[in-house]
Amino acid sequence: YRMKAALDMGASYALTAHDAEELVKTWRRGGVDVAFDTSNASEGCRTAVALTQIGGRVLIVGAPADNRIIFNA
């Protein structure tokens, strides 16, 4: 339901983390301008950050159950 809601509100794409990784690999721009993560999972948050280009923005709605998100620098 979240992906449909994103599309209904005007998102260009609404993808699972796996599908997003595959799509972004085909782009030459280096990532997305904005990633909006609603997965409530650490892996989804990390994927959103990894797929966002330098200078882009990541919006994380909700936090994983353990309230921890670990990022590699």
Side-chain angles (χ1 to χ4, degrees):
Y1 72 94
R2 293 180 208 159
M3 290 191 294
K4 181 183 180 317
L7 293 170
D8 289 346
M9 290 188 274
S12 298
Y13 299 96
L15 308 164
T16 66
H18 173 69
D19 292 340
E21 285 184 274
E22 294 302 312
L23 177 65
V24 172
K25 285 178 187 176
T26 67
W27 293 355
R28 294 180 185 216
R29 293 183 11 195
V32 299
D33 297 321
V34 177
F36 197 100
D37 175 56
T38 61
S39 68
N40 295 335
S42 294
E43 185 61 31
C45 296
R46 285 192 297 272
T47 299
V49 170
L51 297 180
T52 302
Q53 66 181 330
I54 294 172
R57 297 184 181 188
V58 177
L59 292 92
I60 298 172
V61 178
D66 62 1
N67 292 322
R68 294 173 47 136
I69 304 169
I70 298 171
F71 299 102
N72 294 328

